Amino acid sequence: NAGVMQNPRHLVRRRGQEARLRCSPMKGHSHVYWYRQLPEEGLKFMVYLQKENIIDESGMPKERFSAEFPKEGPSILRIQQVVRGDSAAYFCASSQQGTDTQYFGPGTRLTVL
Amino acid sequence: SQQGEEDPQALSIQEGENATMNCSYKTSINNLQWYRQNSGRGLVHLILIRSNEREKHSGRLRVTLDTSKKSSSLLITASRAADTASYFCATEHNTDKLIFGTGTRLQVFP
């Protein structure tokens, strides 16, 4: 049973470009969470999704950031018109319905030049 | 902010010694979880303790929870160089999202 998959592992973008981060949850998991980690800090919650639904997006910046988890395919975190302050590690986690443990992917490290 | 605080921020010990890390939080929780993160890597889930539990063990790990003090501790016994990592506590409240602490950087010298 493969773990949570994220790609790409590293992503470099110039200011103003778009970044698309993908997350495939563990098999059988229907809950996906995105977190952001700045250097030397803990993880900060961004958004919680179930298939085709955004359950909690209280941690998402109001502009330029969006997330989806379609019926088929991976969850996507999209950042439009990236700025240097978006440089961070973005982690995805998944869980089974009705359980507490979230399993994390290896992360995508975004660098904005 | 609900974010937890971890103490100490950094800890250096010799192999074979025990390492204790503490975590405090601000509001009532459903459960508290501990994760390990090696430098530049993802998070590994270590242990989950529910709000009605006081202590849990997993191998060389021992976690305690004191809900009256809103605090938890993680004890790693007989530490190894491979235990070198950052350790984070994360609390789950009435929503499913996790609130992470600031982390403790543990260095175990051989």
Side-chain angles (χ1 to χ4, degrees):
Chain A
N1 186 12
V4 178
M5 309 287 285
Q6 287 188 251
N7 67 83
R9 294 291 302 275
H10 299 272
L11 182 61
V12 179
R13 284 286 179 266
R14 296 190 181 280
R15 280 179 296 171
Q17 292 184 319
E18 178 179 288
R20 276 182 182 247
L21 289 62
R22 286 176 289 277
C23 168
S24 296
M26 284 179 71
K27 187 176 181 180
H29 287 193
S30 57
H31 298 225
V32 166
Y33 312 79
W34 285 93
Y35 295 83
R36 177 166 62 178
Q37 184 180 32
L38 296 173
E40 307 299 321
E41 293 189 11
L43 278 71
K44 298 284 197 313
F45 168 80
M46 299 181 74
V47 62
Y48 162 37
L49 311 104
Q50 294 178 23
K51 286 284 187 182
E52 300 184 282
N53 284 308
I54 296 175
I55 307 302
D56 181 351
E57 57 181 346
S58 59
M60 288 277 271
K62 294 288 187 286
E63 298 176 347
R64 301 187 298 107
F65 284 72
S66 63
E68 62 176 8
F69 188 16
K71 188 176 180 181
E72 301 290 338
S75 175
I76 306 286
L77 178 67
R78 182 182 177 207
I79 311 172
Q80 295 178 288
Q81 298 176 324
V82 295
V83 301
R84 289 222 173 104
D86 297 333
S87 295
Y90 292 82
F91 290 94
C92 166
S94 72
S95 69
Q96 280 184 317
Q97 186 171 5
T99 67
D100 308 299
T101 301
Q102 295 182 20
Y103 295 89
F104 281 78
T108 294
R109 278 153 187 81
L110 173 65
T111 301
V112 180
L113 301 177
Chain B
S1 168
Q2 293 178 321
Q3 186 178 25
E5 294 288 328
E6 293 188 58
D7 169 59
Q9 286 188 318
L11 179 62
S12 294
I13 58 175
Q14 294 290 136
E15 259 189 331
E17 294 180 337
N18 296 342
T20 300
M21 289 159 266
N22 302 296
C23 167
S24 61
Y25 55 92
K26 297 181 180 177
T27 59
S28 60
I29 61 172
N30 290 336
N31 65 66
L32 185 145
Q33 306 180 36
W34 284 90
Y35 287 85
R36 184 185 71 216
Q37 184 180 37
N38 289 81
S39 180
R41 308 288 291 274
L43 277 80
V44 175
H45 184 264
L46 296 176
I47 201 163
L48 179 154
I49 187 165
R50 301 189 188 283
S51 60
N52 61 353
E53 297 175 311
R54 292 297 166 258
E55 187 170 313
K56 259 187 131 169
H57 296 255
S58 176
R60 293 184 295 112
L61 306 180
R62 173 178 168 252
V63 168
T64 62
L65 178 64
D66 187 336
T67 52
S68 66
K69 295 181 179 178
K70 292 186 170 59
S71 67
S72 174
S73 68
L74 170 66
L75 168 68
I76 304 174
T77 59
S79 64
R80 304 167 183 167
D83 294 330
T84 295
S86 291
Y87 291 81
F88 294 92
C89 71
T91 50
E92 185 182 325
H93 304 261
N94 288 329
T95 62
D96 286 322
K97 64 188 178 188
L98 293 175
I99 308 295
F100 279 82
T102 50
T104 293
R105 286 166 193 73
L106 174 66
Q107 175 84 51
V108 181
F109 291 98

